[in-house]
Amino acid sequence: MSPNNPLLRIGTSGALAACLLAGGTAATLGAQAGPPSAPSAQPAQPTHYGSWGIDLSGMDRGVRPQDDFFRFVNGKWLERTAIPGDRSNYGSFSELADGSEAALRAIIEEAAAEKDAPAGSDRQKVGDYYLSYMDSARVEQLGIQPLRAELSRIAAVRDRSQLPATFAHLQRLGVQTPVGFGVWQDSKQADRYIVTLSQSGLGLPDRDYYFEEGQRFADARAAYLRYVETLLRLAGDHDPAGGAKAIMELETTLAKSHWERARSRDREATYNRFSVAGLDSLTPGFSWTEYVKAAGAEQTPAVVVRMPDYFQAMGRAVSEIPVETWKRYMTFKLVDDYADEMSRPFADAKFQYTGRTLQGLEQPSPRWKRGVSAVEGAMGQMAGKMYVERHFRPEDKARMEQLVSNLLAAFRQGIDELEWMSPETRARAQEKLAKFNVKIGYPDKWPDYSALEVRRGDLVGNVIRAAQFSHGRAIGRLGKPIDRTEWAMTPQTVNAYYSSTMNEIVFPAAILQPPFFNPSADDAVNYGAIGAVIGHEISHGFDDQGSRSDGEGNLRNWWSESDLGEFKTRTDALVAQYDAFTPLEGVNVNGRFTLGENIGDLSGMAVAYRAYKIATQGKEVPVIDGFTGDQRFFLGWGQIWRRKYRDANLRQRILVDPHSPSEFRANGPLRNFEPFYAAFGVKPGDKLYLAPEQRVKIW
């Protein structure tokens, strides 16, 4: 269990408001088992992107670009690349993440090798945390012993009145309970922090896993039941089979009231502000006054409840389900969240469920990878500071700043040219765009980790203290001004994001590498790649949810009624397009759930193309290797989406990931974009052809 990054609890409304790629990878879920019994399938060697930025060897010239551009650009790469045994998927993002991970490993292991690092220094903390993880002999020797005090605390619960404080205590440890707790900016008063409560408590990936028929859901439920039973047995439960059944019934009860994910994206529906006393009246029998006090969050000005009816149902469950069942539930959640940091029986059980069953993994990640991931989870920005000192060039930041400036100018021009929007709403959109904040590379001010204590040889203790430190930093923001210097991603993260409450776009250092950003590549390729990434994040400020906030980050309507109707007509058409995509037999993309990211992809590509045209200023662009400038732009676009999935992972992502599968992120926007038709001669009868009246243009 890696404690949540405290930065992920603030700055956006409910989560990272919108990012380029779903957070987290299955590689971080691996168990702490010994050497694998079978060799890992290895990916192809690092990609060579050629003299102008495209991996020509990865293309499949046998596929017509008019029929399947994703495979035209990436077909041979897809054929020759094996997904590593410890991964659920692999692609362009993964290749860069591998490089970032290797760079961090070198930095972390250097710190770990230092014999005289000053106590309390960054290098001492990074090195000792990693060494604690890598000391597998001590981990095996200790077994469950490091959790005995916390298990005793749970065992001492006598009645229901103690559940709120116990849930809050587990929150401080980073352990899942039925209450999702965070400290975020207030979406309707973005100049202050506020406690936000969300539905939580499920061990299966989504509510649908508890109710859907079909073999894959039945298999997942059976595997989860076995996993719960195994951990209860290892924790000393007197009837682990009966306990597992009771926990499954408890979670099924909670799942009945969980909102489905498309509804959970609605920022208006999920903004319900209560006083703490008012929240007490919502859930008789569960004291939020006690919970907030035990969480240390008494300074919150109010509480935002994202799913009020869920919490009403949770309150009933607390009143009706026996206390002994809740104690077993909390015991399981504690052991589950710390299983990766304990001895092999715990870690192996977790891998069998989370890795093999849910993700289709063949084997756990090597221990060093999990150690690096653990350091990042506990002190990601501290490690990030070391990373940028060694691996980020100031000239890349300067080039990126110019690209962002060009993309913002192109978006500004695009707003002015919108034929479907009234002048009044256009003016308000321009006002919001003018207030965008841009962050590139790394924070201007690094977080202070001086209060975090790290002890060599105390892995579980280190993880507990890191979780407590994270929680303390989050609640410590209550009552203080918004810190606009903070980042919700580390510099070594291969991703980017937009925050609606901060109204900012953020591009970590690690994504500023090929194939996304290549200083030596052709401009057309860079605009099709990193330009589209920049455009994607800008567009999130104007997608179906981001467009509900103004330039100050406040959730309020700045649209005219007629313009909002036009916007909905266009977004509904995009939903219908993506609903029709079928990644696996019998499984379709959820166009409503993925709408925000699909808008980001479509509009991001369009604004990047517009910026490319502004940059070339009508000059004649040379043909390179038989490809025109416009064609190279689209090659750059198609190349960044190359990715392979295991079926188990892809099936799960359809339910839980707001991003469409990569094939449709590449092809879907192109079907709506006239310059692609012109560049590759797309005509009626081609598979990517849409009639002009069916093409969607939003921004």
Side-chain angles (χ1 to χ4, degrees):
M1 194 278 294
S2 294
N4 293 331
N5 186 328
L7 297 181
L8 297 181
R9 302 184 185 181
I10 64 164
T12 58
S13 53
L16 282 185
C19 60
L20 190 65
L21 186 71
T25 63
T28 65
L29 300 177
Q32 296 178 23
S37 58
S40 168
Q42 294 299 320
Q45 293 298 312
T47 302
H48 175 64
Y49 291 104
S51 60
W52 49 276
I54 294 295
D55 171 26
L56 296 175
S57 71
M59 298 176 65
D60 187 346
R61 308 296 182 106
V63 176
R64 298 179 70 246
Q66 302 90 341
D67 292 333
D68 187 344
F69 195 73
F70 175 71
R71 286 176 176 78
F72 171 70
V73 177
N74 303 306
K76 293 299 182 183
W77 180 90
L78 293 168
E79 288 178 9
R80 72 183 183 224
T81 302
I83 301 174
D86 63 344
R87 302 289 185 90
S88 63
N89 61 86
Y90 197 81
S92 296
F93 288 87
S94 313
E95 287 190 357
L96 284 192
D98 284 347
S100 176
E101 181 182 59
L104 271 179
R105 180 190 186 183
I107 291 167
I108 291 170
E109 290 187 345
E110 285 177 14
E114 284 192 21
K115 304 297 184 183
D116 54 355
S121 67
D122 289 359
R123 298 187 71 79
Q124 176 265 313
K125 293 178 180 180
V126 166
D128 284 355
Y129 201 103
Y130 182 73
L131 286 173
S132 298
Y133 198 98
M134 297 304 292
D135 190 354
S136 56
R138 179 160 178 78
V139 169
E140 295 301 322
Q141 176 189 4
L142 291 173
I144 200 172
Q145 186 61 36
L147 288 182
R148 287 294 182 198
E150 296 301 334
L151 291 169
S152 295
R153 178 190 287 265
I154 293 170
V157 171
R158 299 180 305 279
D159 55 54
R160 301 178 205 281
S161 67
Q162 295 176 278
L163 291 179
T166 309
F167 285 175
H169 175 73
L170 292 174
Q171 158 65 31
R172 289 177 176 268
L173 306 185
V175 174
Q176 186 189 50
T177 73
V179 181
F181 172 97
V183 176
W184 309 86
Q185 281 176 272
D186 186 334
S187 294
K188 291 194 175 181
Q189 194 171 330
D191 61 351
R192 69 178 187 177
Y193 295 113
I194 194 168
V195 166
T196 300
L197 302 177
S198 302
Q199 63 191 21
S200 188
L202 306 184
L204 286 162
D206 183 78
R207 68 179 306 279
D208 289 355
Y209 277 74
Y210 292 84
F211 309 114
E212 289 288 338
E213 298 179 357
Q215 194 60 47
R216 66 189 179 95
F217 290 106
D219 289 346
R221 289 191 290 268
Y224 184 52
L225 199 62
R226 290 193 299 272
Y227 174 55
V228 177
E229 180 180 347
T230 298
L231 289 198
L232 288 180
R233 184 176 64 254
L234 291 171
D237 191 279
H238 67 282
D239 178 17
K245 183 179 178 182
I247 289 170
M248 178 66 92
E249 291 172 353
L250 185 160
E251 291 192 14
T252 302
T253 297
L254 295 177
K256 288 176 183 176
S257 299
H258 264 239
W259 290 20
E260 58 93 20
R261 289 179 183 261
R263 184 184 179 198
S264 298
R265 291 187 63 247
D266 188 327
R267 297 179 63 214
E268 287 286 356
T270 56
Y271 188 92
N272 306 279
R273 190 159 60 196
F274 290 79
S275 66
V276 176
L279 190 53
D280 276 341
S281 66
L282 186 71
T283 58
F286 187 91
S287 171
W288 290 104
T289 300
E290 289 297 318
Y291 181 93
V292 169
K293 179 181 178 182
E298 300 98 317
Q299 290 193 50
T300 187
V303 179
V304 172
V305 180
R306 286 172 52 79
M307 300 92 179
D309 49 345
Y310 163 77
F311 283 102
Q312 287 178 308
M314 187 205 82
R316 290 192 297 271
V318 167
S319 298
E320 296 169 2
I321 294 173
V323 172
E324 287 304 312
T325 299
W326 283 109
K327 290 167 68 172
R328 276 174 153 166
Y329 172 85
M330 292 186 289
T331 295
F332 164 68
K333 291 297 182 181
L334 173 68
V335 179
D336 171 46
D337 276 317
Y338 281 82
D340 282 339
E341 283 75 40
M342 293 196 296
S343 55
R344 183 165 179 165
F346 296 92
D348 280 354
K350 183 155 191 173
F351 173 75
Q352 290 299 320
Y353 166 61
T354 61
R356 195 179 301 280
T357 298
L358 295 183
Q359 301 289 339
L361 303 187
E362 298 170 1
Q363 62 192 47
S365 295
R367 194 172 187 88
W368 71 263
K369 287 191 175 187
R370 287 173 274 135
V372 169
S373 177
V375 170
E376 288 198 86
M379 52 193 85
Q381 295 290 357
M382 184 187 293
K385 182 179 180 182
M386 299 176 180
Y387 173 86
V388 298
E389 287 171 353
R390 190 173 298 187
H391 295 287
F392 188 63
R393 304 185 308 172
E395 56 265 35
D396 289 346
K397 183 172 184 176
R399 177 85 178 275
M400 186 69 174
E401 286 171 344
Q402 183 59 53
L403 281 167
V404 172
S405 176
N406 292 348
L407 266 293
L408 288 169
F411 205 96
R412 192 176 305 118
Q413 177 181 312
I415 292 173
D416 283 340
E417 295 174 356
L418 285 178
E419 71 284 355
W420 58 269
M421 184 177 281
S422 69
E424 294 79 14
T425 304
R426 272 198 222 122
R428 296 188 192 108
Q430 293 285 19
E431 180 183 346
K432 175 173 183 175
L433 185 65
K435 294 180 179 180
F436 263 50
N437 185 35
V438 180
K439 295 177 177 177
I440 298 170
Y442 55 90
D444 291 331
K445 185 179 78 173
W446 295 100
D448 179 7
Y449 286 89
S450 59
L452 174 60
E453 181 185 3
V454 176
R455 303 174 193 165
R456 186 177 298 196
D458 185 16
L459 176 57
V460 170
N462 287 337
V463 178
I464 287 174
R465 286 186 291 275
Q468 291 170 330
F469 172 78
S470 171
H471 179 85
R473 286 190 63 205
I475 62 172
R477 294 174 175 83
L478 292 168
K480 296 179 181 177
I482 300 299
D483 185 350
R484 299 190 177 276
T485 68
E486 290 190 296
W487 282 47
M489 282 181 180
T490 65
Q492 63 271 27
T493 301
V494 182
N495 213 331
Y497 72 92
Y498 168 77
S499 165
S500 57
T501 48
M502 288 282 198
N503 195 31
E504 67 182 13
I505 49 178
V506 184
F507 305 96
I511 201 171
L512 306 182
Q513 303 177 70
F516 299 94
F517 175 65
N518 187 344
S520 62
D522 172 53
D523 272 352
V525 174
N526 269 333
Y527 274 97
I530 196 65
V533 169
I534 298 167
H536 176 103
E537 301 309 337
I538 295 172
S539 299
H540 273 313
F542 301 91
D543 69 17
D544 64 312
Q545 299 301 320
S547 62
R548 298 185 179 196
S549 290
D550 62 18
E552 303 299 330
N554 291 308
L555 185 60
R556 71 171 184 86
N557 180 34
W558 46 269
W559 295 68
S560 72
E561 186 174 346
S562 60
D563 288 329
L564 205 53
E566 283 282 351
F567 182 71
K568 187 176 187 304
T569 297
R570 291 162 186 268
T571 58
D572 283 350
L574 198 63
V575 168
Q577 285 186 19
Y578 280 79
D579 276 345
F581 293 148
T582 307
L584 294 166
E585 185 177 353
V587 180
N588 280 46
V589 174
N590 184 335
R592 185 66 60 187
F593 178 39
T594 57
L595 177 58
E597 298 300 332
N598 298 335
I599 293 172
D601 289 342
L602 172 60
S603 298
M605 180 188 66
V607 72
Y609 181 81
R610 188 181 298 116
Y612 171 58
K613 288 302 178 181
I614 293 173
T616 55
Q617 298 179 335
K619 297 176 184 174
E620 186 71 24
V621 176
V623 173
I624 301 177
D625 286 343
F627 294 105
T628 66
D630 278 17
Q631 288 174 333
R632 298 195 301 277
F633 172 90
F634 292 111
L635 292 177
W637 161 263
Q639 186 172 249
I640 65 175
W641 300 123
R642 58 171 50 169
R643 179 165 294 273
K644 295 183 69 170
Y645 304 90
R646 297 188 190 278
D647 282 357
N649 176 248
L650 185 54
R651 289 181 185 278
Q652 181 177 327
R653 281 174 177 264
I654 297 302
L655 289 176
V656 305
D657 186 355
H659 303 78
S660 297
S662 289
E663 171 184 354
F664 306 110
R665 299 189 75 176
N667 286 342
L670 297 175
R671 302 168 76 227
N672 294 287
F673 197 49
E674 178 58 36
F676 172 69
Y677 286 69
F680 286 95
V682 182
K683 294 180 173 58
D686 294 334
K687 292 181 180 178
L688 292 182
Y689 180 84
L690 282 179
E693 66 273 14
Q694 295 178 305
R695 298 171 198 168
V696 176
K697 176 187 175 184
I698 300 176
W699 295 100

